């Protein structure tokens, strides 16, 4: 291990040490909430009390237990007599998968694009810059709607791709800027002087140094990703029944706000809890790891 | 401001515009057989051929592309697939309703968000700061459609005070504007606080105080103008988010504006209308970003010098 690497490692561990020293209660609760949601998403298949497309038209709008319902349908039923608990489990699974996979794949793709732009410069850098400009010129919701107007039958896969398109630009900008700055720093210059090739410096030396910034941005951006997906599905132009997501459920429930408010309010509550908890974790990570904002 | 910088910036705006127009063309060609989607799956081959001839879809791709660019450049957005009315006129009719929502939203968001953020920065770690930042996180974490639905549940379902949808009288503006302004005010509060906190920590402030200027005067005359500069960037961002937020809010409250029309057109796959709205929004955003960049050089002498 080189001296430069040892020093990097030490600053990294010191930052982590600071990170673990203090655990504000809000953060602990948020982490538990997110962990619980992830657990639910992973085990949803086995937790569902009914089949996803099982309808009972004789038992529509059954209220949840806490609004005077029975334990047959703990969270009530919807306008087709489908079990809300089953729908909610599947919705959490779909929405979290889209947000998680979309964020991670988008971040990886964006980082690679940013590194390529920083490494080659010139016209490659120019093309990336124009693409970033383009995405800044169109609110993402509008861009996504334009794509959904022409793509046939959107499903979970479509939305994962859409969320990658949503996120890549932020990481490309970050990775490009950080890589260009890092090229001038002692450790990268030293590695180059020692004969390390271009990509080796990026992957082995620059990437670990900027990983904290990327991770913090992923966690800060996660709530926005969930909100974008649920917004699009809320508008009713995305995932089609019988499959569902938190946004789809809310979009369906808004028509029954007078008769059966729980259909819209239950998924709304889950969206709120998930995004709020992730925002708190993101803010806390940013402060702890000493990463300046976006 | 140097001419070279200006030309460069204008060039980038034009390239972005070209990319926007090309995007609409690519998106249009992603759709599988628009004729079948508009006429229905049972349309006969003759009807499909007629449709394709009418819309120029039987031409070679490069010719279609050039025609497409030419049409958009002359503001010819074609006819709605659904009603055969000119798409631009249809869209234009909806603009006033959307603007009438956005102007009060913008005013309310700035009037609430900026003072809140500035106050939070001046009284850092106080009760005000804590409340302001909780509000900021809430505004970020609660989606517009949830706020809208909660407002409808409260004021329409529960209390029965307000109409949940459409434009009836002046009270119809209350819920949509509140929905959008709460989210935007949170963004403004967050940015105003961090901008103000940064300026307050600047050595310039210490110098001002050391020179015997009272604290309140130093904040008023030195900190506030400097903190206002980054807020220009937010104004550009704000423009985009308010359009995006408008799409959702208009749909929640059945507001007869652009956002609702966009979603309706997407559901009906009326691509001429979708494309018109996308290009118009993109053009406004490109202009807004350009003005933000120009405003920077105009307001901040440091940036003006850099661009020489």
């Amino acid at each position: 291990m080189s001296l430069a690497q040892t020093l990097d490692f030490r600053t990294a561990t010191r930052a982590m040490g600071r990170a673990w020293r203090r655990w504000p209660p809000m953060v602990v609760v948020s982490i538990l909430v997110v962990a619980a949601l992830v657990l639910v998403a992973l085990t949803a298949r086995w937790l569902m009390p009914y089949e996803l497309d099982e309808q009972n038209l004789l038992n529509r709008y059954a209220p949840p237990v806490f609004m005077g319902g029975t334990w047959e349908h703990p969270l009530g039923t919807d306008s087709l007599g489908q079990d809300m608990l089953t729908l909610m489990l599947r919705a959490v699974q779909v929405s979290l998968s889209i947000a998680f996979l979309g964020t991670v794949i988008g971040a990886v793709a964006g980082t690679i694009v940013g590194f390529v732009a920083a490494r080659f410069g010139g016209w490659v850098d120019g093309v990336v810059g124009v693409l970033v400009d383009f995405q800044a010129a169109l609110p993402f919701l509008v861009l996504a709607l334009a794509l959904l107007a022409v793509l046939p039958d959107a499903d979970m896969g479509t939305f994962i791709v859409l969320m990658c398109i949503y996120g890549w630009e932020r990481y490309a900008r970050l990775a490009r800027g950080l890589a260009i700055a890092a090229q001038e720093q002692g450790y990268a210059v030293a590695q180059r002087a020692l004969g390390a090739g271009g990509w080796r410096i990026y992957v082995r030396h620059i990437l670990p140094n900027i990983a904290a910034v990327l991770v913090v941005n992923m966690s800060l951006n996660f709530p926005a990703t969930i909100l974008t997906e649920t917004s699009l599905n809320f508008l009713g132009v995305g995932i089609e029944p019988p499959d569902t997501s938190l946004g789809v459920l809310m979009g369906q429930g808004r028509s029954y706000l007078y008769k059966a408010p729980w259909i819209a309010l239950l998924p709304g509550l889950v969206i709120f809890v998930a995004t709020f908890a992730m925002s708190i974790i993101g803010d806390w990570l940013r402060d702890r790891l000493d990463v300046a904002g976006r | 401001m140097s001419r070279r910088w200006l030309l460069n910036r204008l060039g980038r705006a034009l390239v972005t515009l070209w990319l926007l127009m090309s995007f609409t063309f690519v998106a249009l060609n992603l759709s599988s057989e628009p004729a079948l989607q508009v006429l229905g799956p049972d349309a006969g081959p003759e009807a499909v051929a007629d449709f394709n001839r009418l819309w120029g879809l039987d031409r070679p791709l490069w010719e279609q592309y050039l025609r497409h660019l030419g049409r958009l450049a002359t503001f010819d957005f074609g006819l709605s697939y659904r009603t055969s009315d000119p798409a631009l006129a249809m869209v234009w009719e909806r603009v006033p309703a959307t603007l009438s929502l956005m102007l009060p939203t913008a005013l309310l968001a700035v009037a609430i968000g900026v003072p809140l953020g500035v106050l939070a920065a001046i009284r850092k770690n106080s009760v005000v700061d804590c409340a302001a930042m909780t509000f900021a996180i809430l505004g970020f974490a609660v989606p517009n459609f949830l706020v809208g639905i909660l407002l409808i549940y409260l004021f329409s379902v529960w209390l029965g005070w307000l109409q949940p949808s459409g434009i009836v009288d002046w009270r119809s503006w209350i819920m949509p504007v509140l929905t959008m302004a709460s989210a935007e005010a949170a963004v403004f509060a967050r940015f105003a606080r961090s901008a103000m906190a940064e300026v307050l920590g600047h050595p310039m402030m210490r110098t001002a105080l050391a020179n015997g200027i009272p604290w309140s005067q130093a904040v008023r005359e030195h900190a506030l103008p400097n903190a206002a500069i980054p807020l220009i960037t937010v104004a550009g961002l704000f423009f985009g988010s308010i359009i995006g937020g408008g799409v959702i809010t208009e749909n929640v409250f059945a507001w007869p504006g652009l956002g609702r029309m966009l979603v309706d057109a997407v559901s009906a796959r009326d691509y001429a209308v979708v494309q018109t709205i996308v290009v118009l929004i993109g053009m406004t955003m490109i202009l807004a970003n350009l003005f933000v960049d120009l405003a920077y050089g105009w307001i901040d002498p440091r940036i003006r010098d850099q661009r020489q």
Side-chain angles (χ1 to χ4, degrees):
Chain A
M1 197 184 260
S2 69
L3 178 65
Q5 256 178 308
T6 320
L7 287 177
D8 291 344
F9 181 68
R10 232 188 263 154
T11 38
T13 39
R14 206 173 301 144
M16 293 302 274
R18 270 207 305 276
W20 306 134
R21 199 161 305 146
R22 267 185 51 212
W23 294 82
M26 272 297 264
V27 173
V28 178
V29 172
S30 299
I31 291 175
L32 289 178
V33 164
V34 171
L37 282 172
V38 170
L39 197 68
V40 165
L42 289 176
T43 57
R45 189 186 301 257
W46 299 282
L47 293 177
M48 287 180 191
Y50 296 86
E51 289 298 314
L52 195 56
D53 49 4
E54 202 173 311
Q55 300 176 356
N56 181 1
L57 292 174
L58 296 176
N59 192 13
R60 303 187 302 163
Y61 310 116
V65 169
F66 50 86
M67 289 174 77
T70 60
W71 281 102
E72 190 188 352
H73 296 289
L75 297 183
T77 60
D78 73 352
S79 57
L80 295 171
Q82 284 181 283
D83 179 51
M84 278 298 291
L85 179 60
T86 307
L87 287 172
M88 289 282 290
L89 287 169
R90 174 64 183 163
V92 167
Q93 187 179 37
V94 169
S95 287
L96 281 192
S97 306
I98 292 173
F100 182 75
L101 289 174
T103 303
V104 170
I105 301 174
V108 171
T111 307
I112 293 174
V113 171
F115 277 174
V116 168
R119 167 104 169 78
F120 294 107
W123 67 270
V124 179
D125 198 14
V127 169
V128 173
V130 166
L131 285 175
V132 169
D133 272 4
F134 168 67
Q135 209 154 345
L138 207 55
F140 180 77
L141 216 58
V142 175
L143 185 129
L145 282 170
L147 287 174
L148 286 171
V150 292
L151 293 175
D153 304 329
D155 57 8
M156 211 167 104
T158 319
F159 271 86
I160 292 174
V161 174
L162 279 179
M163 290 308 117
C164 293
I165 300 176
Y166 171 62
W168 77 272
E169 162 253 4
R170 169 187 304 259
Y171 305 100
R173 260 189 299 130
L174 268 175
R176 176 184 170 277
L178 292 168
I180 288 177
Q183 276 168 351
E184 308 305 322
Q185 274 173 23
Y187 68 92
V189 176
Q191 285 299 319
R192 208 172 300 128
L194 288 172
W199 284 115
R200 196 182 150 81
I201 294 182
Y202 279 97
V203 177
R204 294 285 302 274
H205 304 289
I206 295 181
L207 187 61
N209 273 287
I210 67 171
V213 183
L214 293 176
V215 168
V216 166
N217 266 280
M218 279 163 76
S219 62
L220 283 176
N221 206 25
F222 197 80
T225 313
I226 294 187
L227 293 189
T228 309
E229 177 266 315
T230 47
S231 299
L232 282 167
N233 277 313
F234 172 80
L235 295 174
V237 291
I239 294 171
E240 300 273 341
D243 207 352
T244 191
S245 90
L246 290 172
V248 174
L249 272 185
M250 268 200 86
Q252 290 169 341
R254 67 196 258 212
S255 315
Y256 311 104
L257 220 46
Y258 287 85
K259 197 184 253 170
W262 58 88
I263 305 177
L265 296 183
L266 282 175
L269 184 71
V270 175
I271 295 172
F272 167 64
V273 167
T275 47
F276 192 66
M278 274 311 294
S279 299
I280 298 227
I281 296 175
D283 272 3
W284 174 74
L285 272 180
R286 181 187 52 195
D287 294 346
R288 290 298 109 196
L289 294 175
D290 270 346
V291 176
R294 302 146 195 245
Chain B
M1 204 171 304
S2 82
R3 180 178 288 170
R4 184 147 166 247
W5 179 86
L6 196 65
L7 282 179
N8 188 355
R9 187 64 191 78
L10 278 177
R12 264 176 53 203
L14 282 178
V15 170
T16 314
L17 190 62
W18 165 72
L19 220 60
L20 177 72
M21 292 176 169
S22 306
F23 165 75
T24 55
F25 181 77
V26 172
L28 185 58
N29 278 281
L30 279 179
S31 69
S32 48
E33 207 64 46
L36 292 184
Q37 286 179 4
V38 175
L39 303 175
D42 300 327
E46 274 168 40
V48 170
D50 274 349
F51 183 89
N52 284 345
R53 203 171 315 119
L54 184 65
W55 298 102
L57 298 175
D58 52 347
R59 304 280 178 169
L61 213 54
W62 62 267
E63 195 188 324
Q64 282 187 45
Y65 177 62
L66 289 182
R67 276 164 180 262
H68 176 84
L69 287 187
R71 275 199 304 268
L72 291 192
T74 53
F75 284 92
D76 173 10
F77 290 97
L79 305 176
S80 156
Y81 290 172
R82 254 192 313 177
T83 61
S84 294
D85 291 325
L88 185 60
M90 282 172 69
V91 170
W92 205 243
E93 238 170 64
R94 300 291 195 102
V95 171
T98 297
L99 283 184
S100 79
L101 265 192
M102 288 186 175
L103 288 178
T105 301
L107 288 178
L108 199 62
V110 173
I112 296 174
V114 173
L116 200 63
V118 168
L119 210 63
I122 293 176
R123 304 252 169 83
K124 216 167 179 182
N125 295 326
S126 69
V127 182
V128 182
D129 186 21
C130 197
M133 283 310 98
T134 311
F135 170 67
I137 291 191
L138 277 179
F140 182 65
V142 186
N144 271 355
F145 55 85
L146 183 55
V147 176
I149 280 191
L150 287 177
L151 286 179
I152 291 180
Y153 191 64
L154 183 64
F155 289 114
S156 303
V157 178
W158 220 14
L159 299 170
W161 289 352
L162 296 171
Q163 280 290 324
S165 61
I167 302 180
V168 184
D169 53 19
W170 63 272
R171 282 175 299 185
S172 303
W173 268 265
I174 297 177
M175 288 198 290
V177 168
L178 269 184
T179 303
M180 281 160 77
S182 62
E184 298 306 330
V187 177
F188 271 105
R190 213 179 163 110
F191 270 90
R193 178 178 177 270
S194 69
M196 193 66 189
E198 200 180 315
V199 177
L200 287 178
H202 198 274
M204 166 191 90
M205 284 300 287
R206 215 173 351 153
T207 311
L209 293 178
N211 282 340
I213 298 176
W215 167 249
S216 61
Q217 193 188 346
V219 167
R220 208 167 47 236
E221 288 176 8
H222 297 282
L224 279 179
N226 276 291
I229 294 171
L231 282 177
I232 299 172
T233 312
V234 188
L237 284 174
F238 173 69
F239 215 76
S241 67
I242 207 170
I243 291 172
V247 171
I248 296 161
T249 310
E250 283 184 12
N251 271 279
V252 171
F253 294 102
W255 196 262
L258 277 182
R260 179 137 167 264
M261 185 178 223
L262 176 62
V263 175
D264 286 348
V266 168
S267 308
R269 310 214 163 223
D270 189 348
Y271 197 72
V273 172
V274 174
Q275 166 185 288
T276 313
I277 298 178
V278 167
V279 171
L280 281 185
I281 291 178
M283 275 165 50
T284 354
M285 288 287 295
I286 292 171
L287 277 179
N289 286 339
L290 189 65
F291 282 132
V292 165
D293 268 14
L294 289 175
Y296 256 108
W298 181 54
I299 290 174
D300 193 336
R302 286 166 300 187
I303 292 177
R304 195 166 30 197
D305 291 343
Q306 245 174 39
R307 288 177 184 168
Q308 287 300 331

